[in-house]
Amino acid sequence: MTSTDYKALHFSQANPAGPGQGDVPALLRTIASTIETLGPVTVADLILHTEATADGNWPSITVYYSKDDTE
């Protein structure tokens, strides 16, 4: 059996707290923009979390990715 090392990098983002914090389309646009700044990557998974707050739902997304070896 062959073993392969795999290291996933990750980051999490949410909209700022307060008005608009529950705007999922805005959050997805922010996530897409952040992924573009990473350069060549392979996204393995996106996980949506939602926290209930006094101001309403506050979603966040965790992105798991790996750097592409394009050198």
Side-chain angles (χ1 to χ4, degrees), residues 51-65:
E51 179 181 346
T53 72
D55 293 322
N57 287 339
W58 192 10
S60 64
I61 295 175
T62 300
V63 178
Y64 294 90
Y65 68 97

Side-chain angles (χ1 to χ4, degrees), residues 18-54:
Q21 72 184 26
D23 187 346
V24 174
L27 176 57
L28 290 169
R29 286 188 290 274
T30 300
I31 291 291
S33 179
T34 299
I35 291 170
E36 287 177 334
T37 68
L38 297 174
V41 298
T42 298
V43 173
D45 205 358
L46 297 135
I47 299 178
L48 174 68
H49 309 271
T50 301
E51 179 181 346
T53 72

Side-chain angles (χ1 to χ4, degrees), residues 3-9 42-45 64-67:
S3 174
T4 302
D5 287 336
Y6 177 78
K7 294 181 183 180
L9 303 168
T42 298
V43 173
D45 205 358
Y64 294 90
Y65 68 97
S66 60
K67 294 281 188 177

